[in-house]
């Protein structure tokens, strides 16, 4: 199976990512409780069915009819639009035919509904599964992700976070999502989540990612805090969408205080009030919260003031080369001062050089994460303890996981 160009480029990976070791899946998702929408995933669309289409502009509907009638049988739609009889295996062709007939503006306004005999039908299902033409095309192009969801082919790499007071022992681990294609190729989060967003699968993928992190951390015997990423735009109502997540944490026997939910992709947040509702839910359950990528944009500074998280993570672009860049030094020093005044613990990610480590320690960063200490790993490779890297001043963190994962 192949994936889109962006996913292929990501899956090829850099030589640093090649240091990770792929391993068998460990209970990639958790099915108990929660939101049925977030727990669902569309079935692969390869059967025969009916494609319903409509557009608010009459001349656009005419363009669609002409283009599709040249290749398919058309019929009136019971939904008030027009419909295409699609033989088995030809939904991609029908979608591409419609997509190529329209302008970019028209594609975004064209609504479609794929009516497959194997799926339940009814007014509610029609409304739930209605997409834009762009959305349907993206969904069909994400068949690798749909299969990954159905077959639970998610796993995790874990990267240690160390405290400034003890650089040799993991204070916590960040749980990093990985997916596996049918041929064994690894897919990384940027490809997974960009595809999920375009295909309207963000709710399902974000839930699966959270549950994968919990179950894999439990299987690895991790006994220190876990940093688990979550995307606020993938949560409708935390009381329902997060029910399976909180239940999985309880069943794993993980203390709530040892779970830190990390807000990612803050640039996509449309409502700070909605995010505050999610944060309140997490804190009411006893969890802690981290804000990712501080320094990457104005919005993250606004969120720092609005959310008052327990941790703030400095963007790797700001951390990289800070020891030689006076501008980064001034900016990062001010952000450190602001976080300290607000009582927020500071964490620098993407630390790769001894000189960066020395600067960060000298300026009061509380926690550090990056290849200067250890890369993400999917299994424990080393004995407990620490050792100096060749030519390095700081110790390499060895894994303290109980079992191979």
């Amino acid at each position: 199976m192949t994936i889109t160009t962006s996913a292929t480029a990501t899956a090829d990976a850099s030589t640093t990512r090649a240091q990770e070791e792929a391993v068998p899946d460990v209970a990639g998702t958790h099915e108990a409780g929660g939101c049925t929408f977030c727990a669902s995933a569309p079935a692969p669309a390869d059967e025969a069915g009916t494609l319903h289409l409509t557009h608010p502009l009459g001349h656009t509907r005419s363009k669609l009819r002409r283009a599709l009638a040249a290749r398919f049988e058309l019929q009136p739609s019971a939904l008030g639009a027009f419909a295409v009889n699609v033989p088995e295996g030809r939904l991609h062709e029908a979608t591409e035919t419609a997509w190529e007939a329209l302008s970019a503006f028209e594609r975004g306004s064209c609504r479609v509904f794929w009516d497959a005999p194997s799926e339940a039908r009814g007014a509610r299902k029609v409304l739930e599964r209605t997409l834009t033409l762009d959305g349907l095309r993206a969904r069909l192009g994400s068949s690798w992700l749909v299969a990954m969801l159905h077959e639970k082919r998610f796993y995790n790499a874990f990267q240690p976070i160390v405290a400034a007071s003890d650089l040799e022992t993991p204070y916590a681990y960040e749980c990093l999502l990985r997916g596996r294609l049918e041929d064994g190729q690894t897919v990384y989060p940027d490809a997974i989540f960009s595809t999920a967003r375009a295909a309207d699968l963000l709710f399902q993928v974000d839930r699966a990612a959270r549950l994968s992190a919990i179950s894999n951390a439990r299987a690895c015997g991790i006994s220190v805090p876990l940093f688990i990423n979550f995307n606020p735009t993938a949560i409708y109502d935390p009381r329902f969408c997060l029910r399976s997540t909180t239940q999985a944490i309880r069943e794993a026997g993980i203390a709530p205080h040892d779970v830190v939910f990390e807000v990612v992709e803050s640039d996509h947040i449309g409502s700070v009030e909605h995010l505050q509702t999610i944060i309140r839910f997490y804190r009411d359950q006893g969890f802690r919260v981290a804000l990712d990528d501080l320094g990457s944009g104005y919005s993250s500074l606004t969120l720092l003031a609005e959310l008052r998280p327990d941790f703030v993570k400095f963007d790797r672009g700001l951390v990289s080369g800070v020891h030689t860049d006076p501008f980064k030094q001034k900016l990062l020093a001010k952000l450190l001062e602001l976080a300290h005044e607000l009582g927020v613990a500071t964490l620098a990610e993407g630390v790769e050089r001894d000189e960066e480590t020395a600067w960060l320690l000298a300026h009061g960063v509380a926690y550090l994460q990056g290849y200067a200490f250890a890369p993400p790993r999917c299994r424990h490779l080393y004995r407990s303890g620490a050792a100096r890297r060749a030519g390095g001043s700081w110790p390499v963190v060895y894994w303290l996981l109980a079992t191979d994962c």
Side-chain angles (χ1 to χ4, degrees):
M1 176 181 291
T2 57
I3 58 178
T4 58
T5 302
S6 62
T8 303
T10 307
D12 288 342
S14 65
T15 55
T16 53
R17 278 180 169 173
Q19 296 181 60
E20 298 179 14
E21 292 197 358
V23 295
D25 301 322
V26 182
T29 58
H30 188 287
E31 301 298 332
C35 174
T36 55
F37 175 75
C38 297
S40 66
D46 54 4
E47 60 183 312
T50 305
L51 181 64
H52 302 258
L53 304 95
T54 191
H55 193 279
L57 299 178
H59 68 271
T60 300
R61 293 194 297 273
S62 297
K63 287 167 61 176
L64 281 169
R65 286 192 181 93
R66 286 195 300 271
L68 289 163
R71 298 188 182 186
F72 298 92
E73 177 188 351
L74 304 188
Q75 66 181 37
S77 170
L79 302 178
F82 73 94
V84 183
N85 292 327
V86 181
E88 181 178 352
R90 294 185 65 188
L91 179 57
H92 284 76
E93 178 188 348
T95 303
E96 283 297 313
T97 300
W99 193 83
E100 291 173 359
L102 303 184
S103 68
F105 177 79
E106 290 172 321
R107 293 165 188 157
S109 304
C110 180
R111 306 298 300 184
V112 299
F113 169 70
W114 171 239
D115 188 10
S118 64
E119 297 188 19
R121 176 74 180 276
R124 183 174 64 85
K125 288 295 183 183
V126 171
L127 291 172
E128 287 178 356
R129 298 205 306 266
T130 298
L131 301 168
T132 65
L133 182 58
D134 278 333
L136 177 61
R137 186 171 183 263
R139 177 75 59 84
L140 294 174
S142 68
S143 58
W144 59 272
L145 181 56
V146 172
M148 198 176 288
L149 278 167
H150 274 278
E151 297 170 19
K152 303 177 184 177
R153 285 190 269 109
F154 288 123
Y155 65 100
N156 293 89
F158 299 95
Q159 187 172 31
I161 295 166
V162 297
S165 58
D166 181 3
L167 300 178
E168 299 185 1
T169 306
Y171 162 76
Y173 286 97
E174 181 176 2
C175 307
L176 302 169
L177 181 67
R178 303 289 183 260
R180 187 179 294 108
L181 299 179
E182 290 180 338
D183 63 3
Q185 186 182 23
T186 297
V187 187
Y188 293 93
D190 45 3
I192 291 172
F193 283 102
S194 62
T195 301
R197 180 175 289 102
D200 196 23
L201 292 171
L202 191 59
F203 294 90
Q204 293 88 343
V205 170
D206 198 70
R207 175 186 182 271
R210 295 191 303 271
L211 299 178
S212 174
I214 295 161
S215 59
N216 279 288
R218 175 180 60 181
C220 288
I222 294 177
S223 59
V224 295
L226 299 171
F227 279 64
I228 300 174
N229 296 329
F230 82 96
N231 192 318
T233 58
I235 298 170
Y236 277 124
D237 185 332
R239 295 171 300 171
F240 297 97
C241 294
L242 297 176
R243 184 178 297 170
S244 59
T245 302
T246 56
Q247 183 172 337
I249 291 169
R250 286 195 301 270
E251 292 179 358
I254 302 172
H257 187 74
D258 283 341
V259 177
V260 182
F261 283 105
E262 185 173 326
V263 181
V264 297
E265 298 194 351
S266 58
D267 54 320
H268 287 94
I269 295 171
S271 169
V272 174
E273 291 77 15
H274 177 59
L275 178 54
Q276 288 173 323
T277 299
I278 299 171
I279 299 302
R280 281 195 299 271
F281 175 86
Y282 278 138
R283 286 186 163 142
D284 287 345
Q285 302 295 315
F287 306 128
R288 291 183 287 173
V289 177
L291 179 61
D292 195 20
D293 292 339
L294 185 67
S296 63
Y298 171 77
S299 62
S300 62
L301 285 174
T302 303
L303 288 175
L304 176 62
E306 295 282 352
L307 301 178
R308 305 291 176 92
D310 301 282
F311 297 86
V312 63
K313 298 183 74 173
F314 295 118
D315 180 63
R316 66 182 61 246
L318 189 58
V319 170
S320 179
V322 67
H323 59 291
T324 61
D325 190 322
F327 181 83
K328 288 184 178 180
Q329 290 172 8
K330 286 182 171 43
L331 181 55
L332 191 49
K334 289 296 184 184
L335 291 174
L336 279 164
E337 181 182 345
L338 175 62
H340 291 158
E341 290 177 356
L342 293 173
V344 178
T346 56
L347 195 166
E349 61 181 345
V351 184
E352 297 186 354
R353 302 176 181 88
D354 291 342
E355 295 84 359
E356 294 165 357
T357 301
W359 191 94
L360 292 164
L361 292 174
H363 288 79
V365 169
Y367 301 97
L368 304 95
Q369 177 184 0
Y371 280 82
F373 304 97
R377 294 283 192 186
C378 300
R379 67 171 72 231
H380 119 236
L381 300 176
Y382 311 119
R383 69 186 188 280
S384 297
R388 306 286 175 182
R389 286 183 292 112
S393 303
W394 307 104
V396 175
V397 175
Y398 280 137
W399 297 114
L400 302 175
L401 304 184
T403 60
D404 282 0
C405 59

